[in-house]
Amino acid sequence: MIKKRITWLLFCILSFAVSASGQDHSEAVARFVKDNGIKPESVAVKVIDISDGKVIASHNAGAPLVPASIMKSVTTAALLGESGIDFRYQTPVYIDGPLDMGIVRGNLIVEGACDPSLNSVNEPGSSDIVREITEALRVAGINKIEGEIIVDDSQFEGPSRPDSWMAADFSQSYGTGSHGFNFEDNATGRKSVERPDRIFINRLKASLRNAGISVDSKDLGEGKRKQLMQHVSHPIDEIMRSCMMRSDNLFAESMLRTYGKLKGGDGSTEDAASREYKMWKKKKMPLDGVILIDGSGLSRSNRVTADFMGAVLTEMSGDAYYASFFPLAGQEGTLRSFLAESPLDSYIAMKTGSMKGIQCYAGYKLDEDYAPTHAVVIIMNDITGSRDKAKKAAEKMLLEIFDSNIDPEETENNE
């Protein structure tokens, strides 16, 4: 009798251990791969228990696939690690000639700092740099600028977009370029603006006229600069959170270029992506097959693996600010409808990534205190069937993995 009880006790302990350690999740992953309507080689999954680093679910985790916008979580991680949360963009404004009886015998120069939030209509927005400059000139007693208004974006070299972006996206607001000087989201409505500096200059000239300050626009060359003022952005964590919640390509591209500049580079996208890759390599991230082209994921030439994404997420999981950037399932941003009103509503926080034929997720499973417990990566490429079917398959898999009350056969029968 005692022997039977001991045997039963050992059976119960072993059963609990298997359940708690997540060794049974291969079946949930297999069902997901079977049910999503995508070729298995075009799908990757990785779920890591952050507490001990154990992989509790995996499929095709070393395959290089197109990440779409989950690339923003990589860019954000890189910049946050370099800048810290207290970083703010600073856009200086100069005059480069002597001030004589209210007249600047030179130019007014605005030096671009690649701030993507400058006069943005999106959160966190910014104070109005046009009004700030106008007021600074008024306070300084300046009523005329003999020279020109110049926007200097030379601190950030290279083209505003990577060569691999699709030309069809250029005219759209989501495909606008990132410049040394960005203004009002580099867009008007849903259309991209190629020269945001020109819109800014026209806006500033109108403001100065209304304030009784004239601009002669004479070609005087450039002289020694003297700072008049500087525009300061909101803290970088607010800009990052806005980028991740809204999946803003301009914000992400500007953050990548900012990362490169802070690392001592020329501020170009290409140089910044190269420096980011080297940083991840130094951190011993699994980089086989990984190709980093841009900051937003709009380039279809980007390649990541679930191994790489899982490693980045695990590396960053201890940073409470970083974890807070990810939209909550069923509640926020691009994840508002995902897992809504399910047992995982608000307990999954992930960045989504989608473009034609692609649907991706990367983020965390959270505990009751909204602290990450697991890193979660789901990458789906080459979707030829229903995107909605692929999303539902991903939801079902996560519910099976993380909610012990879910009966796989019951969810299968309810579809």
Side-chain angles (χ1 to χ4, degrees):
M1 187 68 174
I2 294 176
K3 186 177 180 180
K4 285 184 178 180
R5 287 187 177 183
I6 293 175
T7 302
W8 174 248
L9 179 60
L10 287 172
F11 173 78
C12 290
I13 292 172
L14 287 171
S15 297
F16 176 77
V18 169
S19 175
S21 64
Q23 296 299 313
D24 206 27
H25 299 317
S26 58
E27 292 184 9
V29 175
R31 279 189 287 271
F32 163 69
V33 173
K34 178 183 176 183
D35 294 345
N36 61 29
I38 310 168
K39 294 178 181 178
E41 61 269 24
S42 297
V43 179
V45 174
K46 192 160 190 177
V47 181
I48 305 168
D49 187 330
I50 293 171
S51 66
D52 56 15
K54 289 183 179 178
V55 177
I56 68 168
S58 181
H59 168 78
N60 207 23
L65 297 170
V66 181
S69 281
I70 64 171
M71 180 62 79
K72 293 181 176 70
S73 62
V74 179
T75 303
T76 303
L79 179 56
L80 185 62
E82 186 64 27
S83 69
I85 61 169
D86 295 326
F87 174 84
R88 295 173 186 251
Y89 286 97
Q90 298 179 1
T91 303
V93 180
Y94 305 94
I95 56 175
D96 70 351
L99 179 58
D100 179 22
M101 301 294 290
I103 301 173
V104 176
R105 310 288 184 182
N107 307 296
L108 178 75
I109 302 173
V110 181
E111 186 179 283
C114 208
D115 180 358
S117 68
L118 199 60
N119 278 51
S120 173
V121 299
N122 297 301
E123 293 182 356
S126 78
S127 53
D128 182 3
I129 189 173
V130 171
R131 186 174 63 248
E132 289 175 346
I133 294 173
T134 302
E135 180 63 13
L137 290 169
R138 188 194 66 77
V139 170
I142 295 170
N143 53 53
K144 179 187 283 191
I145 298 168
E146 281 194 336
E148 300 175 299
I149 296 175
I150 298 172
V151 171
D152 176 10
D153 60 3
S154 63
Q155 294 299 308
F156 291 82
E157 298 181 10
S160 64
R161 302 180 182 91
D163 293 338
S164 56
W165 280 18
M166 297 178 65
D169 294 330
F170 291 2
S171 64
Q172 305 301 311
S173 59
Y174 66 81
T176 193
S178 166
H179 303 264
F181 181 83
N182 303 298
F183 185 69
E184 293 183 348
D185 304 299
N186 299 350
T188 56
R190 294 185 178 181
K191 294 297 182 182
S192 170
V193 168
E194 294 301 309
R195 292 292 303 271
D197 58 328
R198 290 180 178 175
I199 291 181
F200 163 73
I201 290 171
N202 290 336
R203 194 74 50 79
L204 180 56
K205 284 182 176 179
S207 177
L208 295 181
R209 280 196 302 271
N210 290 336
I213 303 171
S214 61
V215 180
D216 289 352
S217 297
K218 293 178 181 179
D219 185 2
L220 303 177
E222 292 191 38
K224 185 177 180 180
R225 297 180 181 184
K226 179 181 178 181
Q227 186 164 318
L228 174 72
M229 57 150 284
Q230 73 175 0
H231 171 89
V232 181
S233 76
H234 287 276
I236 193 65
D237 66 301
E238 295 182 30
I239 294 172
M240 289 175 170
R241 186 170 293 107
S242 177
C243 173
M244 292 281 281
M245 288 289 170
R246 298 180 300 101
S247 200
D248 191 298
N249 292 336
L250 170 61
F251 278 37
E253 293 302 324
S254 298
M255 289 194 298
L256 176 60
R257 300 183 77 177
T258 302
Y259 169 80
K261 195 67 178 178
L262 291 177
K263 293 291 285 186
D266 61 16
S268 68
T269 301
E270 183 177 4
D271 177 78
S274 175
R275 290 174 184 274
E276 182 190 4
Y277 185 93
K278 291 175 182 176
M279 178 272 292
W280 293 126
K281 185 176 182 179
K282 188 175 181 180
K283 288 181 176 290
K284 302 187 183 305
M285 294 289 150
L287 289 166
D288 287 349
V290 173
I291 302 173
L292 306 180
I293 299 294
D294 65 14
S296 66
L298 193 57
S299 172
R300 286 179 174 265
S301 296
N302 289 304
R303 292 292 183 275
V304 302
T305 64
D307 283 335
F308 170 69
M309 294 301 303
V312 171
L313 291 166
T314 302
E315 170 82 9
M316 297 297 296
S317 62
D319 190 314
Y321 284 94
Y322 180 74
S324 74
F325 299 155
F326 291 78
L328 288 174
Q331 301 294 321
E332 298 175 317
T334 56
L335 214 65
R336 187 178 299 276
S337 62
F338 191 78
L339 290 168
E341 299 183 7
S342 77
L344 292 180
D345 187 321
S346 302
Y347 292 101
I348 292 285
M350 294 194 295
K351 179 74 194 74
T352 60
S354 62
M355 53 175 60
K356 186 175 181 180
I358 296 169
Q359 186 66 44
C360 306
Y361 302 93
Y364 299 106
K365 164 69 171 62
L366 308 175
D367 63 16
E368 295 289 340
D369 296 319
Y370 295 99
T373 61
H374 297 77
V376 180
V377 182
I378 305 170
I379 304 175
M380 296 178 277
N381 282 192
D382 303 323
I383 300 174
T384 57
S386 167
R387 182 184 299 273
D388 188 55
K389 180 180 180 180
K391 288 181 178 180
K392 288 184 181 302
E395 287 180 305
K396 177 183 171 184
M397 177 181 65
L398 291 175
L399 285 166
E400 289 182 27
I401 290 174
F402 291 118
D403 184 8
S404 60
N405 295 318
I406 292 294
D407 183 345
E409 292 185 6
E410 185 176 323
T411 59
E412 210 168 73
N413 293 334
N414 287 339
E415 288 183 350

